[in-house]
Structures are given as structure tokens and as C-alpha cells.
């Protein structure tokens, strides 16, 4: 798989995919469309809690600070 299966419903991806913030675009490249998609903390959160995490939670589990 070359893209995360949650792309279309992921709040982080949808909010930050076009972000100019280097951190966010780096995460999209590494996680959402890259080799680390299976270690995404958002995915783990969804699995553990049965609901989507806040949009501002990054794939690493930290919050975006704007
Ligand atoms: S942030 Fe995580 S759950 Fe969301 S699209 Fe990227 S890899 Fe998938």
C-alpha cells in the first residue's frame, strides 16, 4: 500500500495536507504517503478509542502548535 487507508477520513491529513509548515508536510510524506504509516499514533488512537483523534494530533502523537 502506498497511501494510508485512512487518508480520506483523516482529520490531520485533510487539514494539513497542503500546509506550508515543514513539520506537517514532512509527516504527510513520512506517514500518510510513506513508510511509517503503520506506526502512526493517530491510527493507534483510533483503534484504541474507537473514535478519531483531534485533527491537530500529529502522526507522532504530539499536537500541532500554530
Ligand atoms: S495521519 Fe496517520 S491516520 Fe491520518 S492519513 Fe496520515 S498515516 Fe493515516
Amino acid at each position: 500500500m502506498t497511501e494510508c487507508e485512512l487518508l480520506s477520513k483523516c482529520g490531520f491529513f485533510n487539514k494539513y495536507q497542503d500546509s506550508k509548515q515543514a513539520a506537517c508536510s514532512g509527516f504527510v510524506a513520512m506517514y500518510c504517503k510513506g513508510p511509517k504509516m503503520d506506526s502512526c499514533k493517530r491510527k493507534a488512537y483510533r483503534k484504541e478509542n474507537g473514535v478519531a483523534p483531534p485533527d491537530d494530533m500529529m502522526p507522532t502523537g504530539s499536537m500541532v502548535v500554530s
Side-chain angles (χ1 to χ4, degrees):
M1 197 183 300
T2 55
E3 286 184 350
C4 174
E5 72 278 10
L6 296 171
L7 272 192
S8 61
K9 47 181 168 174
C10 180
F12 173 83
F13 180 76
N14 287 304
K15 184 168 177 183
Y16 292 109
Q17 59 174 326
D18 297 323
S19 174
K20 298 284 183 291
Q21 276 180 272
C24 293
S25 53
F27 286 140
V28 167
M30 284 299 289
Y31 288 85
C32 312
K33 298 182 175 182
K36 295 184 79 172
M37 64 178 69
D38 290 332
S39 46
C40 178
K41 291 278 201 315
R42 294 184 56 87
K43 217 180 266 192
Y45 182 104
R46 193 185 274 266
K47 207 170 183 181
E48 274 166 31
N49 299 284
V51 291
D55 291 353
D56 290 340
M57 184 178 149
M58 298 187 278
T60 53
S62 323
M63 290 297 184
V64 174
V65 185
S66 47

